[in-house]
C-alpha cells in the first residue's frame, strides 16, 4: 500500500455560496465575450488534443499518469512477445530521467505509408495508427485504440525511436510529438532486430518525472509471470539497482508467489489452460488458511483492476463447480443450502488471464473488460478444469469444501450478529456509538471522521475540532487484528463494531451488505500517536479497511493524519516539525539563543488549540491519502505483518530495522 501526500481543503459551510437576498445563483452574463457562436468551435489537430487533455488518455498527470507512459511503451514490446516474436525486454531508467525500452521483436515497420509519410513516423505521430486493427499485425495485443505510443510521444519533451529490421537500423526523433528529423537509415543492424524507444516525460505536463523503481519492477514481474519464458530486465541508473524476471511456471509461479507467506490447502495450485473460440483462457488458483480473497485478473496482460466479464465467468464457475461436486460426493446433502460466492472465495488466491483478438475495455486505461462472450468461455474452461481436478484429487476437494463450509457457518454467525446490531439500533432509535462525537453536517462529501486512540487524545480532538463538519471516534483498548479473525468475531468485536456503525456503510463479506453510497463521511482520518503503539494501531486500522472496506480506499476516502513530533518556540514565535531534519532547520532559521524544543510523545500531550493548529485545521494540516497501488504486494505485506506466521515477520523486521529512526518504546 502506498500513501500519497495531499493538502486537504476545508469543506464549505452548508450555506456558503448563497447570495444575501436570493438562491445563491449568479445572474447570467450576456456580454459579447460569452457569446457561443460558430467561431467558438475549436478543432485540435494531430496530437494537440492529447496535450490539451492528457487525463483523457493516461488517466492523470500525477505520478500514476507518469508511470502510464512506461506501461504504454512496454506493452508494445509485450505484444511482440505474445505474438511470438520477442523473448527479451530491457527497461532502463537513466540518471537524467530518460526512460529506455528495448526489445528483440520485429521492429516497427518502415517505408512509405499510404498517407505519404514513413510508417515509423505515422505510428508515433498519428492517433489510432498501429498494427492492432487487423491486417495481420497482431492477433492478440494489450492495446485496443492504437493511441499508446503516439500519446507518449505527445507528452514527452523528447523521444527517439530506433527500429532494427530487414538488416538495417532506422531512427527518428521528436519534440512534444513533432518530428525533428526525417526517418533516417543509420546503417546495418549486424543481426540485431527489434525496437528501441527513449523518451523524456514533459515537465510542462507532469507534476513530477520521478519514477518509482518498485512500481515499475512490480509491473514487469507481473508481465513475466503472465508470459512464461519471457526475460525482462530493469535497470535504474539513478540508484544503481537492477532486477531481472523470468518464470517458466507462469501463473502457477505467480500464485505460489502470492501465497508464499501462507499455509496452503493444496501442495500445488490448480491450473486450467484452454482455448475457447478465439480466446486463450489461463487460470491458476489455490486456497490458503486466511479469511480473505485475493484474485487478480488480466486481459492481454493488462491488469483489469475493476474486473469484467472474465472475472464474472470465473466466479460463476467456481461456485457452481464446488457446489455440484460437493453434492455429488455427498458432502452437501439435499437439505443443505448451497455454498454462496462469498463462502467459496474465502482464503482463495487466483490469477485469471485471458488473451483475445478484439478486447473491449472501458476507457483507454483499460480497467475493466467488457467482452460478453468471454464470460461463457472462462466459465466453461474453469468448470471443466476444476471438476476434473476435484475428481482426480478428492482429498484436496474435501479440504476445500470443508473450508467453504466453515466460512459459511462463520458468515451466518456474522449475519446474525449484524442483524442483532441493526435490531438493537432500531430499538434505540438507530443510535450511533456512545463514544462518537458526531458533526452537524449531514452531507458525506463535507464531513470528516477522525479515528483516534484513547480517551485522552479523543478529549483533545473533541475540544479542538470544528464540530460543524468534523466528527471524532476514540478507540479504547486493543483493536482486533482482523487478519487473524473470522467475520463473526469482527462483527462482534467491541472495538470494531462501533467503527462499522459510525461509518454506516456495512462491511464486506456478508452478502451485499457493504454500500459505499451509505458512507457517512468521505474523509476518514486515522490519527494516532507517533510511537510504536500508535504505528501498531494505525497498521491494524489499515488492515481492517483493506480487508473489509477496500472501496473506502479505492474511492480515496481514507487518510492518515500527520501530527508533529516537535514544538519549537522562542517565546514569541512557535513552529512545529515532524522530523529531526525539519526541527534542526527551523532552529537554524530562528537563529535565537533561547530556543525551547518540546518533543510530543503522544496526542494526549497536545492541548486542543495545538492539535487544531497542527493536525486538524484544513488550512494548515497535511494528510496522507492511503492508496492501493499494487494489490498483490499489499496483500503480501498485510499477511506478513499481521498474519499467523512469525518467520516472515522476523525476517522483515531484521531487514528493515536499520532504517528506523526516533523509536519510542
Amino acid at each position: 500500500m502506498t500513501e500519497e501526500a495531499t493538502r486537504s481543503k476545508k469543506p464549505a459551510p452548508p450555506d456558503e455560496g448563497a447570495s444575501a437576498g436570493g438562491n445563491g445563483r449568479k445572474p447570467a452574463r450576456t456580454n459579447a465575450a460569452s457569446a457561443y457562436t460558430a467561431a467558438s468551435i475549436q478543432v485540435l489537430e494531430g496530437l494537440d488534443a492529447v496535450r490539451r487533455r492528457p487525463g483523457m488518455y493516461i488517466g492523470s498527470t500525477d505520478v500514476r499518469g507518469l508511470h502510464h507512459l512506461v506501461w504504454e511503451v512496454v506493452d508494445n514490446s509485450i505484444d511482440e512477445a505474445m505474438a511470438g516474436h520477442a523473448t527479451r525486454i530491457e527497461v532502463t531508467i537513466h540518471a537524467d530521467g530518460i526512460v529506455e525500452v528495448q526489445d528483440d521483436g520485429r521492429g516497427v515497420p518502415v517505408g512509405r505509408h499510404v498517407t505519404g509519410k514513413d510508417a515509423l513516423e505515422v505510428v508515433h505521430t498519428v492517433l489510432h495508427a498501429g498494427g492492432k486493427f487487423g491486417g495481420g499485425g497482431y492477433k492478440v495485443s494489450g492495446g485496443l485504440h492504437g493511441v499508446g505510443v503516439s500519446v507518449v510521444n505527445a507528452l514527452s519533451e523528447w523521444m527517439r525511436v530506433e527500429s532494427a529490421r530487414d538488416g538495417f537500423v532506422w531512427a527518428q526523433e521528436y519534440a512534444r510529438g513533432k518530428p525533428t528529423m526525417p526517418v533516417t537509415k543509420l546503417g546495418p543492424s549486424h543481426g540485431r532486430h527489434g525496437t528501441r524507444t527513449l523518451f523524456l516525460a514533459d515537465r510542462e505536463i507532469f507534476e513530477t518525472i520521478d519514477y518509482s523503481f518498485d512500481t515499475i519492477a512490480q509491473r514487469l514481474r507481473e508481465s513475466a509471470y503472465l508470459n512464461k519464458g519471457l526475460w525482462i530486465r530493469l535497470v535504474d541508473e539513478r540508484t544503481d539497482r537492477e532486477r531481472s524476471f523470468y518464470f517458466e511456471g507462469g501463473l502457477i509461479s505467480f500464485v505460489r508467489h502470492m501465497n508464499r507467506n501462507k499455509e496452503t490447502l493444496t501442495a500445488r495450485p490448480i491450473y486450467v489452460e484452454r482455448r475457447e473460440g478465439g480466446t486463450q483462457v489461463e487460470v491458476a488458483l489455490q486456497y490458503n488458511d486466511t479469511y480473505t480473497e485475493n484474485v487478480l485478473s488480466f486481459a492481454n496482460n493488462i491488469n483489469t483492476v475493476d474486473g469484467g466479464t472474465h472475472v464474472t465467468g470465473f466466479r460463476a464457475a467456481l461456485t457452481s463447480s464446488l457446489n455440484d461436486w460437493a453434492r455429488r460426493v455427498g458432502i452437501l446433502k439435499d437439505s443443505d443450502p448451497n455454498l454462496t460466492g462469498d463462502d467459496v472465495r474465502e482464503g482463495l488466491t487466483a490469477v485469471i488471464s485471458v488473451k483475445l483478438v478484439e478486447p473491449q475495455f472501458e476507457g483507454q486505461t483499460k480497467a475493466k473488460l467488457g467482452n460478453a462472450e468471454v464470460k461463457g468461455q472462462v466459465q466453461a474452461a474453469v468448470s471443466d478444469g476444476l471438476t476434473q481436478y476435484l475428481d482426480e484429487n478428492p482429498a484436496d476437494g474435501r479440504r476445500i469444501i470443508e473450508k467453504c463450509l466453515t466460512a459459511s457457518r462463520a458468515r451466518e454467525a456474522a449475519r446474525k450478529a449484524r442483524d442483532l446490531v441493526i435490531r438493537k439500533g432500531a430499538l434505540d432509535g438507530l443510535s450511533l456509538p456512545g463514544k462518537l462525537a458526531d458533526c452537524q453536517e449531514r452531507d458525506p462529501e463535507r464531513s470528516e471522521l477522525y479515528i483516534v486512540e484513547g480517551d485522552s487524545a479523543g478529549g483533545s480532538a473533541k475540544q479542538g475540532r470544528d464540530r460543524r463538519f468534523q466528527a471524532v471516534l476514540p478507540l479504547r483498548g486493543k483493536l482486533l487484528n482482523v487478519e487473524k479473525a473470522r467475520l463473526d468475531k469482527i462483527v462482534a468485536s467491541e472495538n470494531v463494531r462501533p467503527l462499522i456503525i459510525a461509518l454506516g456503510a456495512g462491511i464486506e463479506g456478508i452478502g451485499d451488505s457493504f454500500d459505499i453510497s451509505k458512507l457517512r463521511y468521505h474523509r476518514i482520518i486515522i490519527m494516532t500517536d507517533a510511537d510504536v503503539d500508535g504505528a501498531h494501531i494505525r497498521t491494524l486500522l489499515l488492515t481492517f479497511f483493506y480487508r473489509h472496506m477496500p472501496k473506502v480506499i479505492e474511492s480515496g476516502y481514507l487518510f492518515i493524519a500527520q501530527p508533529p513530533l516537535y514544538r519549537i518556540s522562542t517565546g514569541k514565535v512557535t513552529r512545529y516539525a515532524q522530523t529531526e531534519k525539519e526541527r534542526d532547520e527551523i532552529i537554524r532559521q530562528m537563529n535565537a539563543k533561547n530556543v525551547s524544543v518540546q518533543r510530543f510523545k503522544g496526542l494526549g500531550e497536545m492541548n486542543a488549540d495545538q492539535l487544531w493548529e497542527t493536525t486538524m485545521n484544513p488550512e494548515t494540516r497535511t494528510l496522507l491519502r492511503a492508496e492501493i497501488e499494487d494489490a498483490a504486494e499489499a496483500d503480501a505485506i498485510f499477511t506478513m505483518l499481521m498474519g499467523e506466521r512469525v518467520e516472515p515477520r522476523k525476517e522483515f523486521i531484521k531487514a528493515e530495522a536499520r532504517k528506523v529512526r526516533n523509536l519510542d518504546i
Side-chain angles (χ1 to χ4, degrees):
M1 175 173 292
T2 61
E3 298 160 345
E4 178 179 284
T6 176
R7 177 76 65 177
S8 63
K9 296 181 180 179
K10 182 174 180 179
D15 59 347
E16 189 171 296
S19 63
N23 57 15
R25 297 175 182 166
K26 296 180 180 180
R29 292 182 296 171
T30 57
N31 57 40
S34 64
Y36 183 55
T37 67
S40 305
I41 306 300
Q42 292 183 335
V43 177
L44 299 177
E45 297 291 341
L47 298 181
D48 292 340
V50 180
R51 295 185 59 81
R52 182 72 66 87
R53 296 286 186 269
M56 292 177 60
Y57 298 87
I58 59 169
S60 65
T61 56
D62 57 12
V63 68
R64 189 176 299 176
L66 176 73
H67 286 84
H68 197 84
L69 300 186
V70 182
W71 311 152
E72 290 290 358
V73 180
V74 169
D75 283 349
N76 284 344
S77 296
I78 295 291
D79 289 342
E80 281 290 284
M82 285 196 294
H85 301 293
T87 60
R88 297 172 65 93
I89 300 172
E90 297 195 32
V91 180
T92 305
I93 309 170
H94 292 284
D96 54 5
I98 291 175
V99 173
E100 177 181 348
V101 179
Q102 183 168 353
D103 63 55
D104 62 349
R106 292 170 292 180
V108 179
V110 293
R112 188 175 180 84
H113 187 259
V114 293
T115 60
K117 299 179 180 179
D118 193 283
L120 181 70
E121 181 176 327
V122 172
V123 166
H124 290 87
T125 60
V126 179
L127 290 177
H128 307 290
K132 303 177 182 180
F133 302 105
Y138 294 97
K139 291 183 178 179
V140 172
S141 81
L144 167 66
H145 307 291
V147 301
V149 72
S150 57
V151 166
V152 177
N153 192 9
L155 301 178
S156 296
E157 291 182 26
W158 171 84
M159 175 184 272
R160 178 182 175 88
V161 180
E162 296 179 3
S163 176
R165 57 180 291 139
D166 304 326
F168 295 94
V169 178
W170 309 78
Q172 188 171 36
E173 293 187 4
Y174 315 87
R176 296 186 168 90
K178 309 290 186 184
T180 59
M181 59 178 278
V183 175
T184 304
K185 182 191 288 188
L186 301 182
S189 62
H190 301 293
R192 169 189 160 199
H193 54 89
T195 304
R196 178 173 179 247
T197 302
L198 301 95
F199 67 90
L200 178 64
D202 195 340
R203 295 175 178 86
E204 294 179 1
I205 300 291
F206 294 94
E207 299 170 9
T208 177
I209 62 166
D210 186 16
Y211 296 92
S212 166
F213 179 89
D214 292 333
T215 298
I216 297 175
Q218 183 59 32
R219 174 70 175 249
L220 297 182
R221 180 190 290 111
E222 286 183 355
S223 297
Y225 278 128
L226 294 166
N227 297 273
K228 51 188 175 186
L230 174 63
W231 187 87
I232 305 178
R233 178 173 178 243
L234 171 63
V235 176
D236 190 344
E237 294 183 350
R238 303 168 305 175
T239 56
D240 196 26
R241 297 176 69 185
E242 180 177 330
R243 296 290 300 275
S244 293
F245 306 103
Y246 178 88
F247 303 106
E248 284 287 355
L251 296 198
I252 294 175
S253 299
F254 200 168
V255 169
R256 280 178 167 163
H257 173 75
M258 293 165 68
N259 275 340
R260 63 191 181 278
N261 291 328
K262 302 169 184 174
E263 296 293 334
T264 58
L265 271 63
T266 59
R268 180 181 175 84
I270 302 169
Y271 180 69
V272 176
E273 183 178 17
R274 179 186 291 185
R275 181 169 293 279
E276 290 280 344
T279 303
Q280 180 183 343
V281 179
E282 194 178 4
V283 174
L285 65 101
Q286 186 178 38
Y287 282 88
N288 56 61
D289 62 347
T290 69
Y291 310 122
T292 55
E293 171 193 6
N294 187 18
V295 174
L296 300 181
S297 65
F298 299 84
N300 290 4
N301 289 288
I302 304 300
N303 186 355
T304 45
V305 293
D306 293 334
T309 51
H310 51 334
V311 177
T312 303
F314 168 77
R315 288 179 169 176
L318 184 72
T319 305
S320 62
S321 297
L322 289 179
N323 275 299
D324 292 346
W325 189 83
R327 291 195 183 280
R328 183 153 52 84
V329 299
I331 302 177
L332 283 180
K333 308 302 181 185
D334 291 341
S335 58
D336 294 333
N338 270 342
L339 297 166
T340 69
D342 287 330
D343 299 333
V344 303
R345 293 197 298 270
E346 183 174 293
L348 171 69
T349 297
V351 180
I352 308 160
S353 176
V354 295
K355 294 174 182 176
L356 58 163
V357 178
E358 291 289 344
Q360 297 170 11
F361 294 106
E362 293 187 3
Q364 168 63 11
T365 53
K366 312 175 184 109
K368 189 174 183 178
L369 184 68
N371 296 66
E373 74 280 5
V374 172
K375 176 182 180 296
Q377 293 169 337
V378 173
Q379 187 170 349
V382 174
S383 292
D384 290 348
L386 183 55
T387 299
Q388 179 180 342
Y389 179 89
L390 295 173
D391 287 340
E392 294 175 354
N393 302 272
D396 287 353
R398 289 182 178 275
R399 280 193 294 271
I400 292 171
I401 298 299
E402 283 301 323
K403 179 174 179 61
C404 296
L405 287 170
T406 304
S408 178
R409 290 189 287 268
R411 212 169 305 281
E412 182 59 30
R415 185 179 291 106
K416 291 178 179 178
R418 180 201 64 182
D419 292 344
L420 179 62
V421 170
I422 293 175
R423 286 197 300 273
K424 182 178 182 298
L427 292 173
D428 295 343
L430 207 59
S431 59
L432 290 167
K435 287 285 183 179
L436 174 68
D438 206 5
C439 58
Q440 299 167 356
E441 179 61 61
R442 289 295 174 263
D443 182 353
E445 292 187 4
R446 298 144 71 99
S447 302
E448 302 180 348
L449 174 66
Y450 276 87
I451 305 172
V452 301
E453 55 172 315
D455 292 335
S456 176
S460 295
K462 288 177 182 179
Q463 294 176 41
R465 68 180 174 133
D466 186 331
R467 66 182 62 246
R468 292 179 302 165
F469 63 92
Q470 291 179 324
V472 176
L473 178 65
L475 300 176
R476 52 185 303 189
K478 185 179 180 182
L479 190 71
L480 179 71
N481 180 2
V482 300
E483 191 74 16
K484 299 181 181 180
R486 287 195 179 277
L487 200 55
D488 54 329
K489 301 294 185 184
I490 295 170
V491 175
S493 169
E494 292 297 327
N495 225 329
V496 178
R497 189 171 68 246
L499 177 58
I500 298 171
I501 297 172
L503 294 175
I507 181 173
E508 287 203 354
I510 312 177
D512 297 323
S513 62
F514 185 83
D515 186 349
I516 193 74
S517 68
K518 294 182 179 179
L519 193 68
R520 300 181 65 244
Y521 312 93
H522 283 187
R523 191 174 278 112
I524 302 165
I525 304 165
I526 299 173
M527 186 165 69
T528 60
D529 293 343
D531 58 9
V532 171
D533 289 339
H536 187 221
I537 292 171
R538 186 165 60 246
T539 304
L540 287 167
L541 283 167
L542 287 171
T543 305
F544 167 74
F545 280 104
Y546 177 70
R547 293 302 190 195
H548 295 285
M549 295 186 182
K551 291 179 183 175
V552 169
I553 303 176
E554 293 166 7
S555 301
Y557 296 158
L558 186 63
F559 298 83
I560 300 172
Q562 296 294 287
L565 276 175
Y566 300 98
R567 177 180 181 270
I568 305 102
S569 176
T570 62
K572 296 181 179 180
V573 179
T574 298
R575 294 178 63 183
Y576 297 89
Q578 292 180 345
T579 65
E580 287 184 355
K581 184 177 181 181
E582 288 182 12
R583 178 202 62 189
D584 294 342
E585 178 61 22
I586 290 172
I587 293 174
R588 186 188 66 79
Q589 292 175 359
M590 285 183 166
N591 194 23
K593 294 182 179 180
N594 300 320
V595 176
S596 172
V597 179
Q598 176 188 1
R599 192 178 195 279
F600 299 112
K601 283 190 174 291
L603 297 173
E605 291 188 3
M606 303 176 69
N607 61 41
D609 290 342
Q610 290 174 330
L611 194 57
W612 165 257
E613 180 184 353
T614 62
T615 316
M616 301 183 74
N617 183 355
E619 301 297 332
T620 57
R621 72 187 178 191
T622 298
L623 301 176
L624 294 181
R625 188 194 303 272
E627 294 187 339
I628 304 171
E629 186 158 307
D630 185 334
E633 193 63 21
D635 176 84
I637 290 173
F638 280 119
T639 298
M640 176 182 60
L641 293 179
M642 311 305 294
E644 296 283 359
R645 298 184 64 185
V646 176
E647 280 304 315
R649 190 155 48 248
K650 287 175 65 176
E651 292 302 317
F652 175 81
I653 292 171
K654 289 178 182 178
E656 299 296 319
R658 68 189 67 182
K659 303 177 184 178
V660 174
R661 298 290 185 273
N662 302 322
L663 182 63
D664 284 330
I665 301 177

